[in-house]
Amino acid sequence: MRVAFLGTSGFAVPALRALAGPHEVTLVVTQPDRPVGRHAEIVPTAVKRAAAALSLPVVQPDRVNRDEAVGQLRQSRPDVLVVAAYGQLLRPAVFTLAPLGAVNIHASLLPQYRGAAPVAWAIVRGEAQTGITTFLIDQGMDTGPMLVQRSLAIAPDETAGELELRLAHLGADAILTTLCGLENGSLPARPQPADGASLAPKLTRDDGRMDWTQTSAAVHNLVRGMAPWPGAWTLLAGERVKVHRTARTDIRVGAATPGTLAPRDAGRLFAACSDRFVEILEIQRAGRPRASGSEFLNGLRPSAVFE
């Protein structure tokens, strides 16, 4: 089958590699190279690097719905478009271009977590299970008819970055099954359920702000869900610090105010939530390397409180 592939982030790479074997990938469309990091170094997208390694043709339009990009897609004569973490909404001129339509690989069990950040929000909201859904793109936000679903359990300490990697490989398997079914006509599309829909909006830095008045489970889930980006953060004496990893404990806070640190004789960094303490395993001051909780205790004022 002739496939045009649209993707940008590392989540899309396993699917591209999987498709490049049994199918003919006629064109790869990815976002333009952009500056990354403190030094604003121009870095190619993960999909562009993968496509180059596979010797596949690549285009990087600013807007995929403009006439030039639509023309490039049409000239590649795809039987189907496959979309994975591309980063732009497709208009009808694009998603109706191929005879078999445009198939999206989405990292949730639709209709749950429609939107840009399904992995992060599933963890933040304490889900025990998530998965992959392939579906035919329509004019809505992840509302099209479903083709294949695969589920997996979320580990209790798993971060969004770790879970996304597992989902990426699950998505690669799901898209191969999907295209096989579309090609031989054995895979009917089915409407998404009317009930149970939820949204997973694009993340901002403010989404990582920690609220110590929440339960220890909610605080732990926020830290996991915001890793690696935008990162969970809190204030310490007016300074923003990032919290990279935590662990839940059974230590009840008693009368301790949320954000209060446990006595230093523990030799570990514990902070009070509304019900129990969480242990902070990895933390980072601005402009400094990451430190373990015990390392961070050195030089910390006895009256320090997270805000």
Side-chain angles (χ1 to χ4, degrees), residues 10 47 50 67 85-88 90 134 162 165 181 248 269 277 282:
V47 164
D67 290 346
Y86 176 57
Q88 294 184 30
L90 306 187
T134 61
E162 293 163 348
L165 181 60
R248 296 179 62 183
L269 183 58
F277 283 92
E282 194 172 9

Side-chain angles (χ1 to χ4, degrees), residues 147-192:
L147 296 164
V148 169
Q149 281 195 322
R150 299 277 190 270
S151 63
L152 55 73
I154 303 174
D157 295 317
E158 193 168 23
T159 67
E162 293 163 348
L163 177 58
E164 184 175 285
L165 181 60
R166 290 204 293 141
L167 286 168
H169 290 283
L170 190 64
D173 176 74
I175 194 59
L176 291 178
T177 300
T178 300
L179 293 197
C180 180
L182 289 177
E183 189 171 27
N184 63 29
S186 65
L187 184 62
R190 62 193 190 281
Q192 294 188 29

Side-chain angles (χ1 to χ4, degrees), residues 38-139:
R38 182 176 301 175
H39 301 292
E41 179 184 0
I42 302 298
V43 176
T45 71
V47 164
K48 182 180 180 179
R49 296 193 298 270
L54 294 166
S55 299
L56 299 174
V58 177
V59 295
Q60 296 178 272
D62 287 329
R63 296 288 183 268
V64 71
N65 297 298
R66 290 179 177 167
D67 290 346
E68 181 181 1
V70 174
Q72 290 171 321
L73 279 165
R74 186 173 288 114
Q75 288 172 11
S76 72
R77 298 185 296 108
D79 298 309
V80 66
L81 271 61
V82 172
V83 184
Y86 176 57
Q88 294 184 30
L89 292 176
L90 306 187
R91 293 179 181 170
V94 177
F95 67 72
T96 62
L97 182 147
L100 293 176
V103 179
N104 194 310
I105 307 170
H106 188 73
S108 81
L109 298 174
L110 290 174
Q112 295 180 332
Y113 299 107
R114 294 169 173 163
V119 179
W121 289 115
I123 291 177
V124 170
R125 293 170 186 165
E127 301 288 356
Q129 180 177 266
T130 187
I132 287 289
T133 305
T134 61
F135 68 94
L136 291 171
I137 294 175
D138 63 12
Q139 295 192 64

Side-chain angles (χ1 to χ4, degrees), residues 9 51 115-116 162 176 189 199 221 247:
S9 75
E162 293 163 348
L176 291 178
L199 297 179
N221 290 342

